Amino acid sequence: MTDLTFGPKGWTPERLGDLSGKTFIITGANAGAGFQAARILLGRGAEVVMLNRSAEKSTVAVAALQDEYGPDAAVRFILMDLAEQASVRAAAQEVLRTVPRIDALICNAAIAQVPTRRLTADGFESQLGTNHYGHFTLCGMLFDRIDANRGRIVVVASLGYNMGTKTIRFDDMNWDRGYGANAAYSQSKLAQMMFAYELQDRVKAARRNVAVYVCHPGSSATSLISTSGSRAMRLVWWLMTKTPMVQTAWQGAYPEVMCATEEALPLQRALYGPTGVREFVGPVGRGTLNAHAHDKPVMVRLWQRSEKDTGHIWSL
């Protein structure tokens, strides 16, 4: 059902005011929705720090943004590979050294539909290790800086959380048995959502000053599938992009920018994104959140397991 909180067209960047003096950190911002989010925020005068794994692509992205907004546009990048905990820690330390305020951390980067089972350098299934564990450590290390400015954490999820087992396979999180690209991706995105909702509870209990929001881009024409998906999946996705069921990457950025900036969001325990056909496309607002995404015992167990596996112990 279409959410009309922000009118018949839903939330759009036209609602944004002047963002001068505000700083936004975006993971995976050299392409796709993350890049478009950077464009939107820079266009309103904000500073953007991109955390990306490719220096070459990041340099091209920064140049494109400065071509559009001028050589003085406040955009730069710090190298970070979410799949490597050591890289995440080094990047977080660099952020703390060079970024004095964080108004929002947008956890946008992801890999998807990896056709064959792969492990990260730390021994995690690649999608879980990148999408969830990488962001888990990053958010933990930057939390106090975000809290100091009463900022936000935005977790970019996926409707894929409704696929697969709809829970966490604690007995086989790395898919040593029965690996499937879709199922493993679904678990990784569900893990991200559960982390965010559990963080909401812990922030409230500790009376800290960070708002945590979860959104998804809907079905958007980004490079996510073409970057890591199988040949067959890339073909299917290419065909889908020719239909009205896929929107532009610019539109796909709306939910994460909204969650990073909008003062009128009614709830944190929600899933924001397109609210039109199948919630793939359409006006951006509050969508459907299914209960398995905030199953409290599973969330608590996942948090404990994530601290154990990453070695990052949160302090709230």
Side-chain angles (χ1 to χ4, degrees):
M1 182 177 180
T2 300
D3 178 10
L4 300 178
T5 300
F6 302 107
K9 293 184 179 180
W11 190 94
T12 67
E14 282 68 32
R15 288 183 60 87
L16 289 170
D18 182 16
L19 298 176
S20 298
K22 294 183 179 293
T23 302
F24 298 86
I25 296 179
I26 310 174
T27 66
N30 57 21
F35 178 77
Q36 299 302 333
R39 285 185 65 207
I40 294 170
L41 294 167
L42 283 168
R44 295 300 193 276
E47 177 181 356
V48 173
V49 180
M50 303 188 293
L51 302 183
N52 303 325
R53 64 181 175 180
S54 168
E56 180 180 1
K57 292 180 180 178
S58 298
T59 300
V60 170
V62 168
L65 291 167
Q66 291 181 333
D67 282 346
E68 181 173 4
Y69 294 113
D72 295 327
V75 56
R76 59 191 175 91
F77 70 90
I78 293 172
L79 285 179
M80 182 189 72
D81 187 344
L82 275 170
E84 298 181 9
Q85 288 284 308
S87 178
V88 172
R89 287 180 166 83
Q93 292 290 354
E94 180 67 8
V95 170
L96 294 174
R97 188 180 69 83
T98 62
V99 183
R101 66 175 286 161
I102 302 174
D103 291 274
L105 167 60
I106 303 176
C107 301
N108 166 83
I111 59 173
Q113 316 296 339
V114 177
T116 57
R117 177 178 173 272
R118 298 176 184 173
L119 299 180
T120 69
D122 303 289
F124 309 132
E125 186 277 317
S126 61
Q127 293 171 99
L128 184 69
T130 301
N131 301 345
H132 170 55
Y133 282 141
H135 282 123
F136 180 87
T137 298
L138 179 68
C139 290
M141 292 187 67
L142 299 185
F143 183 86
D144 286 344
R145 182 65 48 88
I146 300 167
D147 177 74
N149 196 56
R150 306 181 72 89
R152 301 183 180 192
I153 291 174
V154 179
V155 171
V156 181
S158 166
L159 291 178
Y161 86 99
N162 279 318
M163 300 167 59
T165 62
K166 297 185 180 181
T167 191
I168 305 299
R169 292 182 16 151
F170 290 108
D171 64 332
D172 188 17
M173 291 177 70
N174 282 340
W175 297 86
D176 294 317
R177 305 182 305 275
Y179 176 83
N182 288 329
Y185 173 66
S186 298
Q187 175 179 253
S188 74
K189 301 308 284 186
L190 175 60
Q192 283 190 270
M193 294 173 71
M194 287 187 158
F195 154 65
Y197 296 133
E198 177 62 16
L199 179 56
Q200 288 175 356
D201 292 348
R202 292 177 182 239
V203 166
K204 182 178 180 180
R207 298 183 179 180
R208 301 296 293 270
N209 298 308
V210 175
V212 183
Y213 293 100
V214 182
C215 65
H216 72 92
S219 184
S220 303
T222 70
S223 60
L224 180 60
I225 300 298
S226 60
T227 299
S228 52
S230 67
R231 181 177 298 178
M233 183 59 69
R234 293 198 299 269
L235 175 60
V236 170
W237 177 243
W238 181 82
L239 292 171
M240 280 188 64
T241 62
K242 309 305 176 185
T243 75
M245 294 303 293
V246 176
Q247 61 190 3
T248 65
W250 173 263
Q251 293 168 308
Y254 288 7
E256 60 191 76
V257 176
M258 176 185 74
C259 287
T261 61
E262 177 60 53
E263 297 297 330
L265 289 184
L267 293 172
Q268 289 190 57
R269 187 70 113 234
L271 178 60
Y272 293 97
T275 62
V277 180
R278 299 182 66 182
E279 300 188 357
F280 283 8
V281 296
V284 170
R286 182 185 175 194
T288 303
L289 174 61
N290 291 313
H292 68 272
H294 51 94
D295 182 322
K296 185 63 176 180
V298 179
M299 292 196 308
V300 171
R301 187 177 178 186
L302 175 64
W303 186 284
Q304 294 169 343
R305 177 67 179 267
S306 299
E307 286 191 328
K308 177 178 180 293
D309 285 352
T310 64
H312 180 79
I313 309 301
W314 278 65
S315 176
L316 288 173

